[in-house]
Amino acid sequence: MTQQHTVDAGPAAAGPQAAVAATGDEVFQVETHGIDPIPDAERHGGAKDLFWLWFGSNLTFTYVINGALAVSFGLSFWQATAAVVLGGLSFFVISAAGLSGIRTGTATLVISRAPFGIRGNWPAGLLNWIVSIGYTIVNTVVGALALEAFCADLGWHGPLTRAFALTVTMVLTFAVALWGHATVQFAERWMAYILAVGFAALLVFLLPGAETGASTGGSPGASGWSLAFVVMLAGPFSYVPMPADYTRYLPRTTSLKSITWSGALGGLVSSVALGIAGVAAATQADMTDAVAGTEGLLPGWFQPLFLALVLGGSVTNSIITLYSSSLNLQVLGIPWSRAKAILISAGVTVAGSLYALFFTDFTESLLSFLSLLIIVFAPWGGVFLADMVMRRCWYDAPALHAGREGAYWYRGGYHPAGIVALLAGMAFAALTCDSELWTGPLVAPLGGADLTLLGSVVSALVYWVLARRTVKPAA
């Protein structure tokens, strides 16, 4: 699993600065590459960069909400904490998937053409773009409302204040994502330094008052535990279509062990710390409105800083989803550069955020819709990860971009094994899903358990059975 091979280092041998200059991937300069393969001579960086990327992007208030939800499902403090930790451990899988980017030099949704086929990959690519933009809208709205609340403390009220808050939030997100890969990594690192201090203080304020006894609601049962795991794992699982986007510039000699540990520890530490903060808050206050509930537990002088943390966390998470969405659009065939394609994503984000903030509160409906899409993405992730393991991350990289002439065209652009496995996993997920918009017919017989995420296991097993004789590592 940690096999390495040596390549000509090219300009990188002259030192880190020379390597960065050769790539067209510099901080505060518009990145010139998109989903085109990154040449070996332009590779740079190291595995430690992934720690700060995943650490910073997951310093988001969403995990506080997730921790509070686990308590609302009937789990005690320690039970909810265990669910939070198990959810955080899934970042080891997400981080390991980044090896495919190192070996191909391209984005995750290009690599997924291998298990699904060039055309078969398109529907999931479209849905992933919708999910990315949906979560970017949600994060943008949360950040804008936090900044608006901060302005209200200063005596500024009204629609102009809300418009100002939205503008600031979008500018911070869009500028970094537009500049591209190097600036994204730079911003995530430096914002992580600041946010880590603030969220550490948040933990100090919340943990001492936590009620660590048994849940007042009794045993959570199968329903409570399954819903808690769905909430905890849905966040990390949503990153499955992204890890190669942030490893494709790393030198080919970067080992699986180094990228797995670096990226996984980053996501694990931040998501678990904030998840536990949410668990602690939920044992002390009504978290129906998580921001207001948490704010009420903090000393007055810290409350403005807390709102700044919510804003900062929303921005760090939106940056990577917006950046990946621009690569996603290129995968879908938009004939623009990455920098131009991101204008589409930014425009849709602004429109959605304006609608949510000024016309109607559709945030809850959007979240319900996005959570329902796990019926597609859990099985999709199962097939992709199974294919990655079967190929040991060795792909025919040119064939990923070759279309009809490449090895991944299969039958009319579709890989039958991948499509059948995906549909099997989706069928299982739909039958066992328990959400506001859809409840599967097997939920009641299962005692209320939501087994949606096991759709990934079903699809992975079906794919292995169908493709084990034909899917092999590329030479």
Side-chain angles (χ1 to χ4, degrees):
M1 294 293 285
T2 58
Q3 180 181 4
Q4 301 179 40
H5 65 283
T6 304
V7 296
D8 179 11
Q17 295 301 321
V20 173
T23 65
D25 179 40
E26 298 181 71
V27 178
F28 304 130
Q29 299 292 325
V30 177
E31 177 190 4
T32 57
H33 285 294
I35 62 172
D36 53 303
I38 308 300
D40 290 334
E42 298 187 24
R43 305 288 189 95
H44 63 92
K48 64 182 180 181
D49 296 331
L50 298 177
F51 173 86
W52 294 109
L53 176 83
W54 293 111
F55 179 72
S57 62
N58 286 285
L59 284 171
T60 171
F61 193 73
T62 301
Y63 289 106
V64 176
I65 298 173
N66 290 348
L69 283 173
V71 175
S72 74
F73 296 146
L75 275 66
S76 68
F77 176 88
W78 293 112
Q79 290 171 335
T81 297
V84 167
V85 172
L86 288 173
L89 290 173
S90 62
F91 276 102
F92 278 93
V93 176
I94 304 304
S95 191
L99 182 62
S100 58
I102 294 173
R103 290 184 174 166
T104 62
T106 192
T108 303
L109 282 169
V110 174
I111 299 166
S112 63
R113 290 168 174 170
F116 297 104
I118 304 298
R119 286 177 172 169
N121 187 56
W122 200 91
L126 176 61
L127 284 174
N128 182 71
W129 181 79
I130 293 172
V131 170
S132 296
I133 295 304
Y135 279 118
T136 304
I137 291 171
V138 171
N139 276 319
T140 299
V141 169
V142 170
L145 291 176
L147 182 56
E148 182 186 27
F150 179 82
C151 292
D153 292 339
L154 300 177
W156 303 345
H157 302 276
L160 286 179
T161 301
R162 177 165 288 192
F164 167 77
L166 175 60
T167 301
V168 170
T169 306
M170 271 306 303
V171 167
L172 290 173
T173 303
F174 174 69
V176 174
L178 175 66
W179 275 318
H181 175 266
T183 310
V184 167
Q185 290 194 320
F186 176 85
E188 294 289 354
R189 176 191 290 263
W190 285 99
M191 291 180 74
Y193 293 155
I194 300 170
L195 292 175
V197 174
F199 279 118
L202 181 69
L203 267 174
V204 170
F205 291 128
L206 295 179
L207 280 178
E211 175 55 60
T212 58
S215 169
T216 57
S219 174
S223 176
W225 277 106
S226 65
L227 287 172
F229 282 125
V230 167
V231 167
M232 298 307 164
L233 292 171
F237 224 85
S238 69
Y239 291 124
V240 173
M242 297 184 192
D245 301 2
Y246 303 101
T247 59
R248 70 195 204 281
Y249 276 96
L250 294 178
R252 291 181 187 270
T253 51
T254 309
S255 70
L256 172 60
K257 181 179 179 180
S258 65
I259 67 164
T260 299
W261 278 94
S262 294
L265 287 178
L268 174 69
V269 171
S270 51
S271 65
V272 168
L274 296 188
I276 293 175
V279 172
T283 64
Q284 306 170 66
D286 179 6
M287 294 289 282
T288 305
D289 182 338
V291 173
T294 305
E295 189 177 12
L297 297 172
L298 303 173
W301 64 267
F302 189 76
Q303 291 176 6
L305 296 177
F306 167 69
L307 294 174
L309 290 175
V310 176
L311 169 62
S314 297
V315 169
T316 59
N317 195 258
S318 293
I319 285 171
I320 67 167
T321 55
L322 190 60
Y323 173 79
S324 286
S325 75
S326 63
L327 299 175
N328 198 159
L329 286 173
Q330 288 191 311
V331 173
L332 293 175
I334 299 296
W336 291 357
S337 68
R338 182 207 60 82
K340 289 182 178 179
I342 205 172
L343 296 173
I344 298 175
S345 296
V348 175
T349 300
V350 170
S353 300
L354 284 170
Y355 188 71
L357 289 169
F358 290 97
F359 297 100
T360 184
D361 183 8
F362 82 126
T363 307
E364 289 300 321
S365 298
L366 178 60
L367 280 171
S368 297
F369 169 70
L370 293 173
S371 65
L372 188 63
L373 289 182
I374 198 170
I375 291 176
V376 177
F377 280 101
W380 182 92
V383 175
F384 174 76
L385 294 172
D387 181 82
M388 184 187 74
V389 172
M390 292 166 71
R391 297 180 194 275
R392 299 174 188 170
C393 285
W394 291 111
Y395 300 87
D396 181 347
L400 292 170
H401 304 269
R404 293 176 180 270
E405 292 74 29
Y408 303 125
W409 185 253
Y410 301 113
R411 297 181 184 178
Y414 298 90
H415 187 201
I419 302 302
V420 171
L422 175 63
L423 293 175
M426 287 174 59
F428 178 88
L431 290 171
T432 59
C433 176
D434 184 14
S435 70
E436 292 184 12
L437 299 181
W438 167 258
T439 299
L442 294 184
V443 172
L446 290 169
D450 184 334
L451 304 182
T452 314
L453 287 171
L454 290 183
S456 61
V457 178
V458 171
S459 63
L461 289 174
V462 172
Y463 185 73
W464 179 80
V465 169
L466 296 177
R468 68 188 188 281
R469 299 184 185 279
T470 57
V471 170
K472 305 291 182 183

